[in-house]
Amino acid sequence: MGTNFYGQLTKALVILIGTLVIVPIIFGFIGFFLPSFGYFPILGKSEFNLNYFHLSLNIAGISKSIILSLFTGLVSTLLALFFSQVILLYLFKTRAYNYIKVLISPLIALPHITMAIGLIFLFSPSGLFFRLISPWLTGFDRPPNIFIMPDEYGLFLILGLILKEIPFFILVSLSALQEFSAKKIFDLGKSLQNSNFSSWCILIFPLIYKKIRFVIFIVIAFTASVVDMSLILAPSTPSTLAIRILQTYQSSDADSLFIASNLALIQLFIIIILLLFWMILEKIVSYKLSFIFLMKILSFKTFFINKIVVFTSVILFLLSILGIISSLIWGFSANWYFPNFFPKSLTLDVFINFYNENKFIIFISIFISFIVSLISSLLTIIWVELIEFLQIKKIYLEWIIFIPLFTPQISFLIGLQSFIILFDFDSYLLPLIIIQLFYVIPYSFIILAPSLREIKKEIIIVATSLGKNRLQRLLSVKIPIVMSSLLTSFAIGMLVSFSLYTPVYFFGAGRITTLTVEALNLALSGSRQDLGVATLFQIIIPILILITVAYLSKKICKWRF
């Protein structure tokens, strides 16, 4: 009787958790899908039509916005993936290979907007590069009145996305390399008289690619619809489709919601087109004749090309580091007048003043990311435990939790706003935490769920034989075993939440703001010193999170299997 009761209770909990997660996601999709066809009864629109497609596609410059989104999404993903493999190749089987994670951790920890701000400090007319060659080469004794960034073709946006995604691709590739005998396969390729480059491309990379394919799709969806970096680095006449959606949504026009929803649906079609195009590329590359052609091309002695590729990879890495250093200097500079390459004096005054004026923003940024990550990790553990208790082998609906990652952020959030309004929340904090969960849970699930499900059954059987009930087995056996993955999940969750801009913009509604939002506002219109300090906090806090988690992992994680 008791067992049956617990079984029914567990099923009810599974249904409850599944409903709490899945229903808002479905409504988030429906919330922009229906208005895009002119259906939104709350605003008196109760008939389906295609009028808004006509209006959307006739907006001035919309075709260029669509092409720009396609171009930046595809090119940035391709180049980031390519250069990540080049860097891995040339560090593979070297001493530096063992320290790659340490070297790239700060770059992974940084929010996307921090990298964009770093590029501003480097390439703007008053940036570090112009200071380096002024006035001795350019003759400029004040910042030139020239238009450099953002550029018309989104090249700076592509550069910013590449700099941010390369470390991410390196990290997931490192995890993939640990799952097969990469060194033996690489040595086999070398023994067959293949070059390092061809051995990696033909033998190693296909194995990596199979394991990171899902991650690549997520990156494609993100880069084609990114908002925060586009606001800083993308052209404004016209901008990317994501920014056009935001601008339309902010409009006071009576049909703004419907046109924005329609553009959001078009944005989703763009993501689907990019994913389909990528799959076609996969088929072409994997075709036998393509493989033979690739073999012959990569077998040529391309010393000069290899040097160019390596040199470009080094430049990209240095740009990331220089952007961070430039941000740090601005954060501590008293007066840094052009064309001085270095400020005449450094001070803590700007840092202290910014902290005193924005300490609540700093606190709320950390608090929200902590709570969101904690809830995400707990929900993942509870879900996996409940599914195991019910002995369900495959959950076909689990893929639904990844919809927010594949749906353009601004599209999904427009839909969710319509859903959240129904609950009439008094607080802005609770809806913001709920919304951020949909972006953090997928990452927690990817990291934590496989670790929990891969625990050997023999260990659980032994624990059961010692009289441990299910809760005791979870707390004293399973969690200690997966503690490393749990801490990683928690850290990544905090970093993802900390860097989110669009959910805070939509659901914070100006009442709640975070460091990411404040940094973007300062980047668009604010003093360089304050922007430097805001960026400094965006650098320090994520790195401290990683250091803390690494320390705890070293001290707490005693079990190794």
Side-chain angles (χ1 to χ4, degrees):
M1 181 70 180
T3 304
N4 185 53
F5 171 76
Y6 284 117
Q8 295 299 323
L9 180 61
T10 304
K11 288 180 181 179
L13 284 173
V14 168
I15 294 171
L16 176 62
I17 294 174
T19 301
L20 290 175
V21 174
I22 292 172
V23 168
I25 292 175
I26 294 173
F27 271 91
F29 180 80
I30 293 174
F32 75 86
F33 183 81
L34 295 182
S36 67
F37 288 93
Y39 183 83
F40 202 62
I42 296 176
L43 295 181
K45 302 277 188 176
S46 55
E47 292 184 5
F48 287 93
N49 59 73
L50 299 177
N51 295 341
Y52 290 106
F53 279 93
H54 177 74
L55 290 173
S56 297
L57 294 175
N58 281 280
I59 295 174
I62 196 65
S63 58
K64 185 176 179 180
S65 295
I66 292 173
I67 293 171
L68 190 62
S69 296
L70 286 165
F71 177 67
T72 54
L74 181 63
V75 174
S76 60
T77 304
L78 269 172
L79 292 178
L81 182 61
F82 173 75
F83 284 111
S84 69
Q85 300 307 307
V86 170
I87 292 169
L88 277 175
L89 163 62
Y90 283 95
L91 293 180
F92 193 62
K93 299 186 73 173
T94 67
R95 290 184 179 181
Y97 181 76
N98 299 321
Y99 303 100
I100 295 179
K101 283 189 177 180
V102 177
L103 293 172
I104 66 171
S105 290
L107 298 178
I108 292 172
L110 302 183
H112 284 77
I113 193 174
T114 307
M115 198 64 71
I117 292 170
L119 291 179
I120 291 176
F121 286 144
L122 292 178
F123 290 100
S124 67
S126 61
L128 203 62
F129 290 146
F130 263 98
R131 292 170 182 269
L132 181 64
I133 58 176
S134 298
W136 62 274
L137 182 61
T138 63
F140 297 136
D141 57 2
R142 63 183 60 190
N145 187 22
I146 57 176
F147 188 81
I148 299 175
M149 61 183 305
D151 64 287
E152 185 180 354
Y153 303 102
L155 299 180
F156 275 104
L157 175 59
I158 291 172
L159 177 60
L161 288 168
I162 289 172
L163 295 180
K164 193 64 186 74
E165 300 304 340
I166 283 176
F168 180 62
F169 278 139
I170 289 175
L171 181 66
V172 294
S173 296
L174 284 172
S175 300
L177 283 167
Q178 294 174 358
E179 298 182 23
F180 59 91
S181 302
K183 291 184 178 179
K184 291 181 179 179
I185 296 172
F186 188 76
D187 290 337
L188 175 63
K190 291 285 291 177
S191 68
L192 297 174
Q193 305 301 312
N194 289 315
S195 66
N196 288 344
F197 191 69
S198 59
S199 296
W200 189 274
C201 290
I202 295 168
L203 299 177
I204 303 294
F205 178 65
L207 299 176
I208 294 175
Y209 184 84
K210 287 181 181 178
K211 298 182 182 299
I212 68 171
R213 184 171 181 257
F214 185 72
V215 173
I216 293 171
F217 286 171
I218 292 175
V219 171
I220 291 172
F222 175 81
T223 54
S225 60
V226 63
V227 175
D228 48 1
M229 292 187 83
S230 296
L231 282 169
I232 298 176
L233 300 177
S236 56
T237 53
S239 190
T240 59
L241 187 56
I243 304 304
R244 300 299 295 274
I245 297 170
L246 185 62
Q247 292 169 346
T248 304
Y249 188 78
Q250 292 171 331
S251 171
S252 58
D253 189 285
D255 286 335
S256 61
L257 171 63
F258 299 95
I259 297 174
S261 297
N262 194 269
L263 290 174
L265 183 60
I266 293 172
Q267 177 87 76
L268 182 59
F269 288 153
I270 287 174
I271 302 298
I272 294 171
I273 290 169
L274 280 173
L275 294 178
L276 290 174
F277 181 74
W278 192 274
M279 292 177 189
I280 292 171
L281 284 179
E282 289 177 341
K283 295 293 183 182
I284 292 172
V285 172
S286 62
Y287 189 59
K288 184 177 179 181
L289 292 177
S290 299
F291 184 77
I292 294 172
F293 175 76
L294 191 65
M295 281 277 289
K296 291 184 177 180
I297 292 295
L298 295 177
S299 298
F300 292 147
K301 299 297 181 181
T302 53
F303 178 80
F304 180 69
I305 295 176
N306 286 344
K307 290 298 179 184
I308 291 177
V309 170
V310 174
F311 178 74
T312 306
S313 302
V314 172
I315 291 296
L316 291 173
F317 178 75
L318 290 177
L319 282 177
S320 301
I321 302 301
L322 284 174
I324 294 172
I325 293 173
S326 185
S327 301
L328 294 176
I329 296 174
W330 269 110
F332 291 111
S333 66
N335 293 300
W336 194 0
Y337 298 116
F338 191 91
N340 296 335
F341 185 71
F342 200 78
K344 290 185 177 180
S345 61
L346 299 177
T347 179
L348 288 174
D349 291 345
V350 179
F351 182 88
I352 294 171
N353 291 337
F354 182 90
Y355 173 77
N356 289 332
E357 293 174 4
N358 298 278
K359 53 189 173 185
F360 179 75
I361 293 177
I362 296 169
F363 167 77
I364 202 70
S365 300
I366 298 172
F367 175 77
I368 290 174
S369 61
F370 180 87
I371 295 298
V372 169
S373 184
L374 180 64
I375 295 174
S376 298
S377 298
L378 288 176
L379 283 176
T380 300
I381 292 171
I382 293 170
W383 177 261
V384 172
E385 275 297 297
L386 292 177
I387 294 303
E388 182 188 313
F389 178 78
L390 294 175
Q391 297 182 345
I392 300 175
K393 299 298 182 182
K394 292 184 178 180
I395 302 296
Y396 294 102
L397 292 178
E398 279 185 350
W399 61 269
I400 290 179
I401 67 171
F402 296 101
I403 286 179
L405 300 185
F406 287 100
T407 306
Q409 278 190 15
I410 199 163
S411 309
F412 183 67
L413 293 172
I414 286 174
L416 270 180
Q417 265 205 333
S418 304
F419 177 72
I420 291 291
I421 287 172
L422 299 175
F423 293 92
D424 192 25
F425 284 106
D426 294 329
S427 167
Y428 288 90
L429 182 61
L430 183 58
L432 181 56
I433 289 174
I434 292 172
I435 297 307
Q436 287 205 12
L437 283 172
F438 295 111
Y439 290 98
V440 176
I441 285 175
Y443 290 98
S444 296
F445 192 86
I446 288 173
I447 297 168
L448 193 52
S451 299
L452 285 166
R453 287 170 173 170
E454 289 170 7
I455 295 175
K456 293 181 179 179
K457 292 182 179 179
E458 291 82 357
I459 297 173
I460 306 303
I461 292 172
V462 171
T464 305
S465 68
L466 294 174
K468 301 287 186 181
N469 59 37
R470 179 167 289 275
L471 181 61
Q472 290 173 326
R473 292 198 299 269
L474 174 64
L475 297 177
S476 61
V477 179
K478 289 186 176 181
I479 288 182
I481 290 175
V482 301
M483 182 57 72
S484 178
S485 296
L486 176 59
L487 290 172
T488 302
S489 168
F490 183 76
I492 297 299
M494 283 195 71
L495 296 180
V496 171
S497 173
F498 187 78
S499 65
L500 288 174
Y501 167 77
T502 318
V504 181
Y505 175 85
F506 270 86
F507 291 91
R511 274 78 168 183
I512 295 177
T513 188
T514 60
L515 267 174
T516 300
V517 176
E518 186 66 18
L520 191 140
N521 291 337
L522 289 169
L524 295 175
S525 57
S527 74
R528 287 295 177 91
Q529 281 87 355
D530 285 342
L531 178 58
V533 176
T535 308
L536 177 61
F537 275 108
Q538 283 200 299
I539 294 170
I540 291 174
I541 293 173
I543 291 177
L544 285 177
I545 291 171
L546 287 182
I547 291 173
T548 303
V549 167
Y551 175 79
L552 290 175
S553 182
K554 187 176 180 180
K555 292 294 181 181
I556 296 175
C557 301
K558 304 296 182 183
W559 293 12
R560 295 287 185 270
F561 290 91

